Amino acid sequence: MRDDPRNVIRRLGRLAGQALPVARAAVPAGARTGTPQGLGAVAVDAGQAPGTRYARVRVRRHRSSPGLPEAYGFEAWCHGVAPLPYTSGDGQRRPAAISLGNARPGGEPPSELLRSIRRWSQNQGPLTGWINRCRQVHGDSLQLVILDQTGFDLPWEALTLPPAPEAGLPGGMLGTLVDLARWFDAVRGGGDDFPTGVAAPAGAVLGYFHPDMRADREVFHGYEHRPHSGIVSFLRSLDEHTADPTGLVYMGCHGTFDQELSKLTLADVTWAEYHDHGMSLLGRDGSLVCLNACHSGRFLDHDGDGRQYLRGFTEVFLGNGAGGCIVTAGKVGDAEARELIRRLVETVTADPARPVARALRAFRTGAHERFLAEGGVPLMVTDDGTFDERGQRNVLRLLYSLMFQYYGHPLSTLHLTGRSPDGRPAQGRGPR
């Protein structure tokens, strides 16, 4: 008798990390970029193309008549390519089935979720065709920034581009083919534009680790590190101006997402409580923030205090001066997250001159190559009619890797201090 898929899926979150290969992801050819250049400070709107050679995509809700389904559209600009005017259509209705937040134990079988994302990608022909034209003009040097103002949990890293054989372009997931960054127009500054400044934070790690995630501290062995086990002392440290700069602010903890603002939490602290903190350390150092917590990258459309905009932890940290944010789009299994974050940190920090966006591309590319080596997208059943648990676990690992999203300038870098010139680890600071 065929196994109940949902019962088996509930076990995948516990099993996903047990068979994950630990080989470092290969760095794509030509991984180094040239001299960092800003994206320019020209305001972006539907009637004016920015003066930049980088591709910019704005995604916003479609203004439909009352009573019609929620929808969205996109507009895009890139030097050397005809701009894409605001485009919407039947394929741009709100796609509830493709959120990576659905990749969780007890949720839809992973292979079905991935197939839904592929079908959604096929509906985005105007955008995927435009991106391929940008790839043809700029090649591997193309950098793409997506400003998504919908709050629809659209999985842009997993958007599947069709191949363009006539141009020599392979198809595949956007996050593995192009240096991809997201952006959020932080409301505190009143802005509605793309990032203009390249961040290059350098210094120590400031970390918070929930008791369930103490093992994450091992990831930073050898780097100068100020770890915390208490959330109050950690938040206080974000307002302290220590003599030494902070390159990375890392949180390994639990997060929750809900349709009520008071239930958006990170380490049991609510969105509103984070919003009240100035986090002046971020403004001083422009640190990269990594929130290794379930749902830390999701947004809630909220107007309960009289002002409607997307609320989320990405918005809080960017609004307080972070040089960029790495967040998660859903619930990542603990064992898997620990291995993924180890490999991600290794990839991001292996070459301080390599932009974070390109390092994350290498990270996703490695995960996708392992996914293909394990057989790719499986059927839900094997030849004997039982549920293909191994194949589903392989898909789930790929989806987990795609959950890590980067918000920031595509040329921003990170340099962590603490290792001696001969490569030997330095002693980190003790916990507080």
Side-chain angles (χ1 to χ4, degrees), residues 80-233:
V81 180
L84 179 67
Y86 185 79
T87 303
S88 186
D90 290 340
Q92 278 73 53
R93 292 186 178 184
R94 183 171 188 167
I98 65 170
S99 169
L100 290 177
N102 295 332
R104 63 188 186 277
E108 186 177 23
S111 62
E112 293 299 289
L113 175 55
L114 186 56
R115 286 189 167 95
S116 293
I117 293 174
R118 288 183 171 181
R119 292 195 303 274
W120 167 73
S121 300
Q122 293 170 357
N123 295 333
Q124 313 309 310
L127 181 59
T128 56
W130 184 87
I131 293 174
N132 272 348
R133 292 193 290 276
C134 294
R135 293 170 66 200
Q136 185 174 2
V137 171
H138 295 296
D140 195 53
S141 66
L142 176 67
Q143 287 137 353
L144 179 64
V145 183
I146 295 181
L147 197 167
D148 187 336
Q149 299 171 310
T150 66
F152 289 173
D153 288 343
L154 302 176
W156 296 112
E157 290 76 11
L159 177 72
T160 302
L161 301 181
E166 69 283 359
L169 298 176
M173 292 183 171
L174 178 62
T176 68
L177 297 174
V178 176
D179 295 352
L180 175 63
R182 291 177 177 240
W183 188 243
F184 183 82
D185 48 339
V187 297
R188 293 196 188 188
D192 186 26
D193 200 3
F194 292 80
T196 57
V198 178
V205 179
L206 174 64
Y208 166 75
F209 303 90
H210 186 274
D212 292 346
M213 303 176 75
R214 288 193 187 98
D216 283 15
R217 290 177 54 171
E218 299 174 5
V219 172
F220 304 105
H221 177 69
Y223 295 109
E224 185 180 1
H225 188 194
R226 302 190 299 274
H228 292 256
S229 58
I231 189 62
V232 174
S233 64

Side-chain angles (χ1 to χ4, degrees), residues 372-388:
L372 294 178
E374 289 290 324
V377 186
L379 297 177
M380 283 199 290
V381 296
T382 61
D383 284 343
D384 62 5
T386 59
F387 188 72
D388 187 358

Side-chain angles (χ1 to χ4, degrees), residues 30 41 49 59 84 216 222 245 256 269 291 311 328 339 354 360 395 408:
V59 189
L84 179 67
D216 283 15
T256 62
V269 178
L291 305 179
R311 319 292 174 102
T328 63
E339 173 55 33
R354 181 172 57 177
L360 282 170
V395 180

Side-chain angles (χ1 to χ4, degrees), residues 36-51:
Q37 304 175 39
L39 286 178
V42 179
V44 178
D45 57 45
Q48 182 178 11

Side-chain angles (χ1 to χ4, degrees), residues 3-12 14 105-107 387 389:
D3 296 340
D4 183 347
R6 294 188 180 274
N7 289 335
V8 180
I9 294 298
R10 291 187 181 95
R11 299 200 299 270
L12 291 181
R14 298 191 300 270
F387 188 72
E389 186 171 328

